[in-house]
Amino acid sequence: MNMFKAFESRVASAFGASQQGITMPFSFRKLAKRATREMEQETFVVDGVNTAPALITILVSADDDSIIKPLYPELAAEVADLIEAEAARKGYVFVGKPLARFMVDSSLRRGRFAVFANNVDALTLEKLREEERSFLGGFDAFGGAASGQMVPVPEVEPASEPVAPLVADIPVVEHAISDDSSAGLNVLPADYVDEQLNQVSAPSPVSVPEPLSLADALPEVVDVEANPIVTPMPEVAGKHVPVVPEVNAAPAEIAVPDVKRHSTPNTQDSTVGVAPLPVVEAEPATCLLIDRQSGRTYIGTAPETTIGRERITGGIVLHDPNVSRKHAKLTYDGRIWRIHDLGSTNGTLVNDVDIDSCILRDGDLITLGLLNLEFRES
């Protein structure tokens, strides 16, 4: 028999055997297919092994929760067995025995559900398993579907000092603050004077074979049309000898001519010959959030990036039901990155300390829901 048909048949038997005669509020066959697809998408290579997510969370509406609550132990076991069988068929491994749990999402309508698969570490998985056992054993205040809301992440005692990253060999990078001066641009000061332009020497009055014009005798940068000088050309042995015009101003006071006029002396404001500088737009600064368990990398972009379950243009989407739709925000002011909690249900932790807003440095561990993300400047 097909694996999904067998699963649906066992679930139908559980509903039929219930004393209240509960009917299925939605298709559990669809739920099974969704769960296996989520498992496939969240399977990552960890230490060279295809590691499947061991935590499966099913969100249901408050109305459906009140109906199927008595069957949660059987339904959760069936989902966990299905995931384990599918992973074995594909050669995947888990960090521990798979755990399925039901939670309420008040935004869901009756007959609707959502499935999340999470790659969590073995310690977190066992803590959640103990909480689920307590919940299923007595429907007490440990959360789960009976609570009518999403399960909060287990509270962690705030550390007096920031906890060091879990990986010991992660290098700590000092934050260098760079100024915005014109570094790398060879710009001449405004009062710079080329010494060669100040040195004007007259050629020796020797005989030349051909007559030279006045423009040839003057420096190349002098605008002849703007400063016409007429000097008689005396004859020496039948040859014309150029006479260098007198310069009234001292050499140091000779002004450097306008580049535009030098390029086209007959045009007042021409820009021919002057190549415009290319306009280069600087790319926005980015940072990385690396999932410690799966290795998945998320990219944050300046000036700000929203993090949460909700899909937002340019945002980071985290596939974890314990993460709020708009959970936190990364901001960059040109020098430092910060993270701000956006009033999330389960809070934002940096190095195991609950924060509202704080500066981030390379190697900081950010905890959002069940995800541990390592911060990296890129």
Side-chain angles (χ1 to χ4, degrees):
M1 183 183 292
N2 180 280
M3 179 178 63
F4 296 108
K5 286 185 178 180
F7 170 81
E8 186 178 34
S9 177
R10 291 194 299 271
V11 170
S13 297
F15 275 95
S18 62
Q19 296 179 355
Q20 299 88 344
I22 303 173
T23 57
M24 288 189 288
F26 45 75
S27 170
F28 273 79
R29 186 174 182 176
K30 288 183 178 180
L31 186 152
K33 290 183 176 180
R34 184 83 58 84
T36 55
R37 186 168 67 246
E38 290 294 320
M39 180 200 70
E40 185 71 29
Q41 292 178 352
E42 296 299 314
T43 297
F44 292 91
V45 178
V46 179
D47 295 331
V49 179
N50 287 327
T51 305
L55 177 64
I56 305 297
T57 303
I58 301 144
L59 304 184
V60 298
S61 69
D63 291 337
D64 292 337
D65 168 68
S66 62
I67 295 173
I68 62 177
K69 186 184 301 182
L71 298 179
Y72 279 143
E74 295 176 73
L75 298 178
E78 289 291 348
V79 173
D81 290 343
L82 173 74
I83 292 299
E84 191 170 18
E86 178 67 5
R89 187 177 71 84
K90 294 191 173 184
Y92 299 160
V93 299
F94 297 98
V95 296
K97 183 175 177 57
L99 169 65
R101 58 178 185 166
F102 286 82
M103 293 166 55
V104 172
D105 185 345
S106 58
S107 67
L108 289 176
R109 300 193 304 273
R110 178 180 296 180
R112 312 285 281 188
F113 65 88
V115 181
F116 291 84
N118 291 102
N119 242 308
V120 297
D121 59 85
L123 180 60
T124 301
L125 181 65
E126 289 309 310
K127 287 182 178 179
L128 294 173
R129 193 187 310 278
E130 288 300 321
E131 291 181 3
E132 197 67 13
R133 284 173 183 164
S134 299
F135 159 67
L136 295 177
F139 295 103
D140 53 18
F142 275 84
S147 67
Q149 59 185 359
M150 293 189 182
V151 179
V153 178
E155 295 184 0
V156 179
E157 288 295 330
S160 57
E161 296 181 359
V163 177
L166 298 179
V167 180
D169 58 352
I170 295 176
V172 178
V173 180
E174 293 291 335
H175 283 247
I177 301 175
S178 60
D179 59 17
D180 294 328
S181 62
S182 301
L185 300 179
N186 295 322
V187 180
L188 295 178
D191 58 351
Y192 176 85
V193 178
D194 191 337
E195 294 180 358
Q196 294 182 357
L197 294 179
N198 289 336
Q199 297 175 359
V200 181
S201 59
S204 303
V206 295
S207 297
V208 292
E210 295 295 334
L212 298 176
S213 65
L214 179 60
D216 293 332
L218 291 174
E220 183 183 353
V221 296
V222 175
D223 190 338
V224 179
E225 292 184 359
N227 302 282
I229 302 175
V230 180
T231 305
M233 303 294 291
E235 286 190 10
V236 178
K239 299 292 183 177
H240 290 285
V241 179
V243 177
V244 178
E246 294 181 4
V247 180
N248 296 329
E253 298 177 356
I254 295 178
V256 178
D258 193 317
V259 175
K260 297 179 182 179
R261 292 183 57 80
H262 169 63
S263 302
T264 54
N266 295 326
T267 307
Q268 291 294 326
D269 293 319
S270 173
T271 58
V272 178
V274 180
L277 294 175
V279 178
V280 180
E281 295 184 0
E283 295 184 359
T286 59
C287 66
L288 303 178
L289 298 181
I290 305 172
D291 189 328
R292 279 286 183 81
Q293 182 64 24
S294 67
R296 172 180 283 178
T297 300
Y298 305 91
I299 300 177
T301 306
E304 67 177 45
T305 300
T306 302
I307 308 171
R309 284 189 6 250
E310 187 173 276
R311 294 187 179 278
I312 300 175
T313 303
I316 294 176
V317 181
L318 298 181
H319 202 66
D320 181 353
N322 294 284
V323 172
S324 299
R325 284 179 167 79
K326 293 182 180 179
H327 195 107
K329 179 174 65 176
L330 295 169
T331 62
Y332 183 68
D333 63 4
R335 297 184 305 123
I336 57 176
W337 286 92
R338 283 181 172 272
I339 187 167
H340 313 262
D341 185 78
L342 298 179
S344 63
T345 301
N346 293 316
T348 299
L349 281 72
V350 175
N351 298 325
D352 288 334
V353 177
D354 196 359
I355 59 94
D356 292 324
S357 176
C358 78
I359 296 174
L360 292 173
R361 295 179 174 83
D362 271 14
D364 281 348
L365 188 65
I366 303 171
T367 302
L368 305 173
L370 296 175
L371 301 178
N372 293 315
L373 307 174
E374 180 185 325
F375 172 79
R376 288 288 190 182
E377 283 193 275
S378 58

